[in-house]
Amino acid sequence: MSTLGLQRLAADGPLLSPVAAGVWRLHEWGFDDAALAAWVEHAIALGITTFDHADLYGGFRCEALFGRWLKANPSRRDAIQLVSKCGIKPPDAARGWRVKHYDSSAEHITASVHASLQQLGSDYLDLLLIHRPDPLLEPDEVAETFARLRDAGKVRHFGVSNFSPSQYALLASRTTLVTNQIEASLLHTAPLFDGSFDQCLQLGIRPMLWSPLAGGRLFDAAANPALAAALNLLAGELGVGTAAVALAWLLRHPCRPLPIVGSRKLAALDDAAAACRLQLTRQQWFTLLQVAQGHEVA
């Protein structure tokens, strides 16, 4: 089984696999320890060694579930890269959170990192992201917090998630950021046109992409019959799965995005690895864009 090589996320960024395994729904997968180990080791064997977390995934349970495997296999820490996010506080009476809100304060970022490390069973995170843009974000406070966490060896690199280009530029003016994790797929092409991918190219950073398969809606004929048919046709011509084609479409962009695939199925990991070895032609790429948007490019 050939594996994928690590790629740098930015000039001074971490080395990550070209696609990441997402664990947003790990708490729903019903894995026992053996099944979890099989899933993680299958990903690693393919070269998918980056695992994308967030503190609140699974009601603040997913990091601990993944940590069961890492704590049982501490020697595997050097074989993987851990990404996590913080800053979202959903309503939670036990925690005193009456309304969903964002918190980018030094106190919350620091506490979240310490909790994530304890849950995961790791001494450090390879990458920490602010999960959502906080209207009350103090860029200097965040920059100072990042510096303290880096100096303490708790987090090696920092980025953001779901930030607009202007929001990214503001925080990047105070501290080094290596990525913006945003939504993108053939059913959500906004980053191609709203400046997000342009900014990544301008700054020499690679975006991470959540929901690159639109939660599976790409393959639902009810969502976009023409797109589902086009993906099936091209997949048949190329001899790969439809998911591999959809991911390869994203990977073809010159900003070299890093999609995050979250599925309990080992075949989904296989498709993600196959996508990294698939190079769509320019005409194949524009055919899918045209079908997805329902019109020719202007």
Side-chain angles (χ1 to χ4, degrees), residues 54 59 73 103 118 139 141 167 177 191 215 227 246 257 260 277-278 295:
N73 301 273
D103 189 346
Q118 182 178 17
E141 180 182 5
Q167 291 164 337
L177 303 176
L227 180 57
I260 302 162
R277 294 185 281 269
L278 185 62
H295 58 79

Side-chain angles (χ1 to χ4, degrees), residues 4-83:
L4 312 172
L6 296 179
Q7 302 174 357
R8 201 164 290 283
L9 199 59
D12 296 319
L15 286 165
L16 304 182
S17 53
V19 293
V23 295
W24 174 32
R25 298 188 184 278
L26 179 59
H27 66 296
E28 299 177 355
W29 293 351
F31 282 167
D32 58 17
D33 288 346
L36 175 62
W39 181 82
V40 174
E41 293 293 350
H42 187 77
I44 293 173
L46 291 169
I48 302 174
T49 56
T50 299
F51 295 89
D52 183 75
H53 296 265
D55 56 359
L56 85 163
Y57 284 170
F60 296 89
R61 289 180 291 157
C62 285
E63 288 182 326
L65 293 174
F66 187 90
R68 287 191 337 219
W69 170 80
L70 187 54
K71 290 173 183 178
N73 301 273
S75 65
R76 299 297 272 157
R77 178 61 183 94
D78 290 341
I80 65 171
Q81 303 84 47
L82 294 175
V83 180

Side-chain angles (χ1 to χ4, degrees), residues 89-103:
K89 289 183 172 180
D92 188 328
R95 299 171 188 263
W97 302 343
R98 295 184 301 277
V99 61
K100 180 182 180 181
H101 60 289
Y102 303 139
D103 189 346

